[in-house]
Amino acid sequence: MVADMSLSHGTIVGHVEKLGEIFGTEGWVLDQDDPSRALDVELWAGGEIIAVTTSGIDRPDVARDRGIVSRPGFCFDPSVCDQIVDIAASGAEGELSVRVRDPAITLQSFAPPRSLEAVRRNAATSRPATVDALFERLSQQIGEAEGARQLAKQWATQHATGFIEAICVDESGLIWVTGWMVDDGVADRPIVILDDGEYAGSFAYALAPRDDLPVGCLAFAGVVHSAWRPRPGPPFRMFMADGSARILQSLDPVRLMPRATIAPVVRDVVDQSTGPHRAHLHALFHFDGGWSVDQERASAERVQIDEAAVLPGFGVFVNGWALSPRKAAHGFMLKAGTTIARAEESSIVRYRRPDLDAMYRHVDQALAPAGFIALFRGTFDDASIDEMIVKTTWNDGKSTAAAIAPTAVRVIGRTAPIETVERYYPAIEAERFFASFARHAATTYRTRALDLRSHAVEPVEHAMIFVVPSSRSDYLLLVDDIVRNARRVASTTGIVLVAGADIERSLLLSSFTELQRHSGLPCSLYFSGQSRPTSDAVDPIATALGATTFAFIAGHVRLTERGWSIAGTPASDISLLAVDDPADTTAAPTISADAVVAALAAWQAEIAANPSLTAGAFSRTPLIRADTHPIIRGAAVSLGRPPVSPLAARIDRALGFAHV
């Protein structure tokens, strides 16, 4: 290794070359002031030392490059591989690292980072039982490879430990590669492909002997799972991001072949191999269990997806049907880009589809469970949801894949309301996944609430932020109130209107122009992506205006004369305005963040300590204890309870929000 690749800590230089439970842990380290001194080296797993060794192994390459006489190499006993697996299995967390004992120094690793969580996952899934399980493993490995992109660039100039001789992209989009490599007993691993960029991926393969190869080398044939696509031309490199830092080099130029040409090589290697993926690769290459969408073939099985709804960060709801006169549907999987997810077993609903009777006559028993609804958990980005495929596995182990038309996909919170999920699960609050669904829905809508567009911005010290009522008459009443009560507010006060997505824009803009002219106050206007903006909008708006204090008034609240005097004056802390119901004078007033006047710093501190102070994701804010903040009586009245859908109320209850 060349000298400039080492990490220097004063007089101590060295680095880790291998790190992990698969290939062991080794490297070199030396004291430049005393090259002959042996150094104690520790292997750490998270916060625990699991092994200690001492440098003293010959490394002529290091000694030659530095022009010294030294034995700086170190190598931990192979038994530490089992120790790493054992400590990971115990539930320990953290990264593997190598440290010099005296002086206490952590050596930089030129092997990819290896977490105990990844070790635990690798041990649990070392022998995928099915093709689907193999793809799930490969999808996980892509995530592991993401963190090794920069590391792969550092190793790009190292010597190859094998060559990619041919490559093919088949009809289902799978990337097949053949070639040879130095055998190390591993059959799948995360990778980084170094081409015109760095692409994360994963690689599963079979190994077999070949007469023309030297001792220790084997032929390979395997499948690459990645968003990368090969192209003819300059060579590329495949960096093994599992701690081995091995590299496969493609031929120059890249040999991109049709499936018919590469098929004999793939079949020959797979048929001769004895590795754990032999059967899976054989099935994939013959499209038995693959992701090829081909409804025109001569098959009695039919699968179709009618609609899908994506909740960002949570998963995909799918409604469709799978019908066969001879087989029973056994399970469902979803592939979106490079992410593969299995339908949650408890979420699968089967129901009768009598509308399919014209397709298959006299198969009443098959029609009864033909329809299905399922939830596929996972994080899917915008690019991947345009290329979604659902695969139905039948009871004989074979499968049928169907693409989801992009026109059938809706994004909840963006192009579809939250109530869309009730078409899939009418009693969704009774489903096992509901609590997690509620949290993700709240996050999605909270993010949506922060999606604000400014139309007019006037910096002020104190901002009175009004949500524009959805009712035309209530909005005109608000404009009239602002003009009439402008004299009651402090000279440093400005008016801010926040309009929802369902507001009549022409009326809003024309009346806002009149408001600017006649109120005599600085006026600002914001548009929200939500139909009913909440107090989540306070922080970004007040910050943008440079306001240090504010008042927030929800769209269903109207200030009284006393309320105008209070809300129009800067506050030093947080005060809540009691909202009376004029239709029921005996009812207790509502105390919530729907009507509040506060110093921005105090509000931000309160939100950090108590997120429930801000508006609920879909409905009214929770009640706030009367002894928490000062309550201003007679300050506001209600224009009517804002509409809350039953689903929104159930979601807020699941999140611990109270309703009044």
Side-chain angles (χ1 to χ4, degrees):
M1 300 297 171
V2 295
D4 62 1
M5 289 184 65
S6 65
L7 179 68
S8 174
H9 296 273
T11 64
I12 304 297
V13 293
H15 66 247
V16 184
E17 296 167 330
K18 294 182 180 179
L19 178 65
E21 82 286 8
I22 299 175
F23 305 100
T25 301
E26 61 184 61
W28 64 268
V29 63
L30 62 86
D31 184 341
Q32 296 181 105
D33 286 350
D34 186 3
S36 63
R37 180 166 76 100
L39 297 171
D40 290 331
V41 183
E42 303 167 338
L43 176 60
W44 287 68
E48 180 179 345
I49 300 176
I50 62 173
V52 179
T53 191
T54 303
S55 64
I57 299 175
D58 275 332
R59 283 298 300 268
D61 56 326
V62 177
R64 182 179 60 252
D65 287 336
R66 292 183 171 272
I68 59 174
V69 177
S70 179
R71 295 162 58 91
F74 66 84
C75 180
F76 287 88
D77 189 272
S79 62
V80 302
C81 295
D82 292 333
Q83 290 178 257
I84 292 171
V85 172
D86 290 342
I87 194 171
S90 71
E93 301 291 338
E95 299 273 342
L96 294 175
S97 61
V98 176
R99 305 181 190 180
V100 178
R101 175 173 289 180
D102 184 22
I105 294 168
T106 299
L107 293 180
Q108 179 176 331
S109 174
F110 281 91
R114 191 66 172 160
S115 69
L116 293 174
E117 181 184 15
V119 173
R120 186 160 54 248
R121 185 167 62 247
N122 183 68
T125 58
S126 59
R127 288 291 186 271
T130 64
V131 170
D132 292 342
L134 172 60
F135 263 100
E136 287 184 287
R137 178 174 173 79
L138 293 177
S139 294
Q140 291 174 342
Q141 289 179 339
I142 290 178
E144 296 175 27
E146 287 286 352
R149 292 191 183 192
Q150 292 302 314
L151 186 63
K153 293 172 67 176
Q154 296 180 29
W155 282 83
T157 58
Q158 299 304 299
H159 295 297
T161 53
F163 284 86
I164 298 169
E165 297 173 330
I167 189 164
C168 163
V169 181
D170 68 23
E171 296 92 323
S172 63
L174 294 177
I175 304 170
W176 292 91
V177 293
T178 63
W180 65 269
M181 67 170 68
V182 177
D183 179 28
D184 61 0
V186 180
D188 59 76
R189 59 226 304 174
I191 60 173
V192 176
I193 300 165
L194 301 165
D195 195 359
D196 56 342
E198 300 83 45
Y199 300 87
S202 51
F203 184 30
Y205 48 91
L207 296 165
R210 203 171 79 186
D211 294 340
D212 63 316
L213 298 176
V215 175
C217 296
L218 295 173
F220 69 80
V223 63
V224 171
H225 187 41
S226 174
W228 169 77
R229 284 296 176 265
R231 53 192 173 84
F236 63 89
R237 289 172 176 260
M238 188 183 294
F239 174 79
M240 307 302 176
D242 57 351
S244 64
R246 293 155 56 93
I247 290 178
L248 295 181
Q249 170 75 58
S250 73
L251 298 183
D252 187 5
V254 173
R255 296 178 64 190
L256 195 57
M257 295 182 172
R259 185 178 185 276
T261 304
I262 203 175
V265 180
V266 174
R267 291 195 186 100
D268 183 60
V269 173
V270 174
D271 288 346
Q272 291 187 68
S273 70
T274 57
H277 303 321
R278 179 180 185 275
H280 304 333
L281 293 172
H282 189 277
L284 279 171
F285 197 66
H286 291 87
F287 304 135
D288 237 358
W291 293 90
S292 178
V293 178
D294 184 8
Q295 296 286 26
E296 300 303 319
R297 62 183 179 174
S299 172
E301 286 70 54
R302 290 290 183 269
V303 176
Q304 180 172 308
I305 308 304
D306 295 331
E307 59 178 346
V310 181
L311 178 60
F314 177 74
V316 182
F317 299 91
V318 170
N319 186 5
W321 54 268
L323 185 58
S324 170
R326 300 177 291 111
K327 305 175 185 179
H330 183 67
F332 305 94
M333 296 192 72
L334 174 75
K335 180 174 181 288
T338 58
T339 302
I340 295 176
R342 189 186 302 274
E344 288 199 355
E345 195 64 33
S346 62
S347 77
I348 299 175
V349 178
R350 306 301 300 274
Y351 64 98
R352 184 178 182 84
R353 288 291 297 258
D355 56 312
L356 304 177
D357 186 59
M359 182 177 295
Y360 291 116
R361 298 290 184 181
H362 314 300
V363 286
D364 289 348
Q365 194 166 342
L367 288 172
F372 72 87
I373 292 170
L375 167 62
F376 300 88
R377 294 290 298 272
T379 301
F380 304 95
D381 57 34
D382 287 348
S384 67
I385 64 177
D386 286 335
E387 301 176 353
M388 293 196 294
I389 299 173
V390 170
K391 182 171 67 174
T392 300
T393 303
W394 307 99
N395 60 334
D396 63 355
K398 295 185 178 181
S399 61
T400 304
I404 304 179
T407 55
V409 181
R410 302 290 181 268
V411 180
I412 295 172
R414 187 185 307 163
T415 62
I418 190 65
E419 287 73 23
T420 298
V421 299
E422 292 184 297
R423 294 212 301 268
Y424 299 84
Y425 299 96
I428 191 171
E429 71 277 6
E431 300 291 341
R432 293 183 185 178
F433 58 78
F434 182 67
S436 178
F437 165 79
R439 289 193 298 273
H440 281 85
T443 299
T444 296
Y445 275 74
R446 177 78 36 96
T447 301
R448 188 73 170 156
L450 300 177
D451 182 17
L452 298 164
R453 292 178 293 109
S454 61
H455 177 79
V457 176
E458 291 287 346
V460 292
E461 293 181 21
H462 178 67
M464 294 186 71
I465 304 173
F466 293 90
V467 173
V468 175
S470 55
S471 163
R472 179 189 180 101
S473 58
D474 287 344
Y475 169 58
L476 294 176
L477 180 62
L478 171 62
V479 172
D480 183 62
D481 279 351
I482 294 172
V483 173
R484 286 190 302 104
N485 290 281
R487 59 182 175 81
R488 299 180 185 277
V489 304
S491 59
T492 57
T493 297
I495 300 296
V496 183
L497 300 185
V498 186
D502 56 354
I503 297 299
E504 184 182 341
R505 185 180 178 91
S506 58
L507 172 65
L508 175 64
L509 292 181
S510 60
S511 57
F512 178 74
T513 301
E514 293 299 312
L515 187 63
Q516 289 176 303
R517 180 179 301 120
H518 297 295
S519 67
L521 298 172
C523 295
S524 302
L525 174 61
Y526 283 84
F527 289 96
S528 169
Q530 283 191 318
S531 58
R532 192 178 66 85
T534 66
S535 55
D536 287 314
V538 165
D539 199 342
I541 289 177
T543 301
L545 297 180
T548 56
T549 61
F550 71 91
F552 175 80
I553 309 300
H556 65 284
V557 175
R558 183 187 183 191
L559 293 176
T560 63
E561 289 185 0
R562 182 168 191 243
W564 270 97
S565 298
I566 298 296
T569 304
S572 58
D573 202 343
I574 298 175
S575 297
L576 302 172
L577 309 184
V579 180
D580 295 305
D581 184 355
D584 185 357
T585 57
T586 62
T590 300
I591 310 297
S592 75
D594 280 343
V596 59
V597 57
L600 182 61
W603 175 262
Q604 292 171 333
E606 184 78 14
I607 297 306
N610 178 24
S612 66
L613 178 61
T614 56
F618 308 100
S619 54
R620 297 190 65 182
T621 54
L623 289 174
I624 299 175
R625 288 174 51 191
D627 59 351
T628 303
H629 300 289
I631 306 299
I632 310 299
R633 304 287 178 177
V637 295
S638 173
L639 296 174
R641 188 181 295 270
V644 178
S645 75
L647 175 59
R650 293 195 294 270
I651 290 174
D652 278 357
R653 281 197 295 271
L655 296 172
F657 284 76
H659 292 267
V660 295

